[in-house]
Amino acid sequence: MVELIQNFTAGEADLMNADKIPDIIIGRLPVYLRALQRLSAKGIQTTSSQELGEIVGISAAQIRKDISQFGEFGKQGTGYSIPFLIERLKDILKVDRVWEVVIVGMGDMGHALARYNGFANRGFIIKMLFDNDPKKVGQKVGEFEILDLNTMAEKIKQNKIKIAMLTVPAAAAQEVAEQLVKAGVKAILNYAPTSISVPAGVRVQHIDPATHLQRMTYYLE
Amino acid sequence: MVELIQNFTAGEADLMNADKIPDIIIGRLPVYLRALQRLSAKGIQTTSSQELGEIVGISAAQIRKDISQFGEFGKQGTGYSIPFLIERLKDILKVDRVWEVVIVGMGDMGHALARYNGFANRGFIIKMLFDNDPKKVGQKVGEFEILDLNTMAEKIKQNKIKIAMLTVPAAAAQEVAEQLVKAGVKAILNYAPTSISVPAGVRVQHIDPATHLQRMTYYLE
């Protein structure tokens, strides 16, 4: 009964960041954090690399190795303190603060993300929604009013927002991504069904259902 | 101007499938396939591990190593034949056929996926949509009529459907996942903001925006 919670990684031990922590390890940390937060929500205080491994579908040896990159977190045989490890992972991943996020493109996907209730206590808060459709601008989605795309660059700069979720049609994705980058955005979660090019120093994660499905068909009969 | 198209992997070289191809490599193949199909769409016939690496954000050495797991695909110095590599990857990933997929939960996310135009030539076709809300059942989304959740198990069995996208609220996710598994589904793309437990032999990929965002905040200033 193991769920393979699978992580989204750049896939490369040799893609190093400035601190020389391999990108592939950074990619697994949010998966560990999510599992630990769920254990914590059940009132559980300690865990082992074995238990964590069974939850996330990663070997205990790999988990110990990954976590040891950031210091000593548990003694042999006593397991990890969940609250301590959560705090440390939140600190490492810089989600010990709350990042403001904008959503650009208020179609079905934009609405779904604006209403998504999985961001709480994860380090993110939706701050603004944008669309270029005059019929949508001014409408409300929950507590948010949809703002005019023409005002986006200015508002992102004013609020020093660094993160955007891009949910525009494929044909508009590259142009909007460039506007986001120009306004100071450094991380884009791209839901548009196309790839986007960004300058060095800007991160993109592409959420592509077909790629994620192809990840599983290999194992089907 | 390199986009880090990042792959969704189980993260483990030691999670082996029956054929002993590491799961982590299988996780990168859909990312290579997507990049190759985009090059092919531009009329490009050959590529190198360097060029492919720049597109997907994975080292050339890793790409050569991954691809060599499945046989000889290119000669030193002449690069890879794109059409040949595409065919081979589609074959390996079993997307040289078309898999029928159901969507369960016709909220914003279900609608977004039902209308998603990124599945063409990727190995998947949406076959049926389900919801349990009497107001939604019978409504049309594009060419599809939303069907009653009560008929789901029977219809999935009849059509021998193996893949589902789960877009129900968190509170319903585990119960619906169990119904899907009982009806024969072997692969679930889980968009619900919760983890689900499935028996061995069933694959789950969790699309969790917060986890994907946390993957990037590490790199932000």
Side-chain angles (χ1 to χ4, degrees):
Chain A
M1 297 292 284
V2 171
E3 179 192 4
L4 285 173
I5 298 173
Q6 288 159 327
N7 62 316
F8 204 76
T9 72
E12 271 322 287
D14 47 325
L15 268 182
M16 297 290 189
N17 80 314
D19 297 317
K20 306 290 180 206
I21 302 294
D23 195 56
I24 198 166
I25 295 180
I26 296 300
R28 286 191 285 262
L29 300 186
V31 179
Y32 302 158
L33 178 56
R34 180 173 59 195
L36 290 163
Q37 287 183 313
R38 284 181 179 157
L39 289 171
S40 179
K42 291 178 190 166
I44 301 167
Q45 293 289 311
T46 58
T47 188
S48 63
S49 51
Q50 284 77 10
E51 183 181 52
L52 197 53
E54 281 177 26
I55 297 170
V56 302
I58 295 178
S59 75
Q62 184 69 62
I63 288 173
R64 284 194 298 273
K65 202 171 143 193
D66 287 352
I67 288 175
S68 72
Q69 296 262 346
F70 303 100
E72 288 296 321
F73 283 101
K75 288 179 192 137
Q76 194 73 31
T78 63
Y80 298 114
S81 156
I82 291 176
F84 182 71
L85 195 48
I86 287 174
E87 287 316 302
R88 192 73 188 94
L89 286 173
K90 286 174 88 166
D91 175 48
I92 291 163
L93 292 171
K94 299 186 186 155
V95 290
D96 53 349
R97 64 210 78 179
V98 177
W99 296 90
E100 294 180 339
V101 178
V102 299
I103 302 175
V104 192
M106 292 307 296
D108 294 319
M109 189 63 77
H111 278 83
L113 290 172
R115 292 180 181 136
Y116 187 76
N117 64 5
F119 291 121
N121 198 28
R122 309 283 298 278
F124 306 98
I125 189 165
I126 305 298
K127 178 76 177 179
M128 290 183 281
L129 316 176
F130 295 98
D131 202 284
N132 69 346
D133 180 347
K135 285 184 230 117
K136 289 183 181 168
V137 173
Q139 282 187 5
K140 286 209 126 189
V141 181
E143 59 180 304
F144 301 103
E145 188 181 319
I146 299 175
L147 305 173
D148 189 335
L149 191 66
N150 288 325
T151 68
M152 179 181 77
E154 189 194 330
K155 291 202 168 77
I156 285 177
K157 277 184 215 164
Q158 276 173 356
N159 291 275
K160 298 189 170 61
I161 288 169
K162 300 294 173 204
I163 304 177
M165 298 198 280
L166 187 60
T167 51
V168 299
Q174 182 61 41
E175 189 191 328
V176 175
E178 287 170 16
Q179 291 174 25
L180 288 167
V181 170
K182 214 170 157 190
V185 164
K186 298 289 184 193
I188 299 173
L189 196 56
N190 176 26
Y191 284 82
T194 187
S195 62
I196 53 175
S197 296
V198 295
V202 178
R203 314 285 302 185
V204 173
Q205 294 250 319
H206 191 171
I207 304 291
D208 171 9
T211 301
H212 299 147
L213 290 173
Q214 288 177 346
R215 181 71 191 67
M216 300 191 282
T217 45
Y218 173 77
Y219 299 95
L220 298 181
E221 297 301 313
Chain B
M1 297 292 281
V2 172
E3 179 192 3
L4 285 173
I5 297 174
Q6 288 159 326
N7 62 316
F8 203 77
T9 73
E12 270 322 287
D14 47 325
L15 268 181
M16 298 290 187
N17 79 315
D19 298 315
K20 306 290 180 207
I21 302 294
D23 194 57
I24 197 166
I25 295 179
I26 296 301
R28 286 191 284 261
L29 301 186
V31 179
Y32 301 159
L33 177 56
R34 180 173 59 194
L36 290 163
Q37 287 183 312
R38 285 182 179 156
L39 289 171
S40 179
K42 291 178 191 165
I44 301 167
Q45 294 288 312
T46 57
T47 189
S48 63
S49 51
Q50 284 76 11
E51 182 182 52
L52 197 52
E54 280 178 26
I55 297 170
V56 301
I58 294 178
S59 75
Q62 185 70 61
I63 288 174
R64 284 194 298 273
K65 200 171 146 194
D66 287 353
I67 288 176
S68 71
Q69 296 262 346
F70 303 100
E72 289 296 321
F73 283 100
K75 288 176 193 138
Q76 194 72 29
T78 63
Y80 298 114
S81 156
I82 291 176
F84 182 73
L85 196 48
I86 286 174
E87 287 316 302
R88 191 74 188 93
L89 286 173
K90 286 173 89 168
D91 175 50
I92 291 164
L93 292 171
K94 299 187 185 155
V95 289
D96 53 348
R97 64 210 77 176
V98 177
W99 295 90
E100 294 178 338
V101 178
V102 300
I103 302 176
V104 192
M106 292 307 296
D108 294 319
M109 188 63 76
H111 278 83
L113 291 171
R115 292 181 181 135
Y116 187 74
N117 63 5
F119 291 122
N121 197 29
R122 309 283 298 278
F124 305 98
I125 189 165
I126 305 298
K127 179 76 176 178
M128 290 182 282
L129 316 176
F130 295 98
D131 203 285
N132 70 346
D133 181 347
K135 285 185 228 113
K136 289 183 182 169
V137 172
Q139 281 187 6
K140 287 207 125 191
V141 181
E143 59 179 305
F144 301 102
E145 187 182 318
I146 299 175
L147 305 173
D148 189 335
L149 191 67
N150 287 326
T151 68
M152 179 181 77
E154 190 194 331
K155 292 202 167 78
I156 286 177
K157 278 183 215 164
Q158 276 172 356
N159 290 276
K160 297 189 169 59
I161 288 169
K162 300 293 174 205
I163 305 176
M165 297 197 281
L166 187 60
T167 51
V168 300
Q174 183 61 41
E175 189 191 329
V176 174
E178 287 170 16
Q179 291 174 25
L180 288 167
V181 169
K182 214 171 158 189
V185 164
K186 298 289 185 194
I188 298 173
L189 197 56
N190 176 28
Y191 284 82
T194 186
S195 61
I196 53 174
S197 295
V198 295
V202 178
R203 314 284 303 183
V204 173
Q205 294 251 319
H206 191 171
I207 305 290
D208 172 9
T211 301
H212 299 147
L213 289 173
Q214 288 177 346
R215 182 71 190 67
M216 300 190 282
T217 44
Y218 173 76
Y219 299 95
L220 297 181
E221 297 301 311

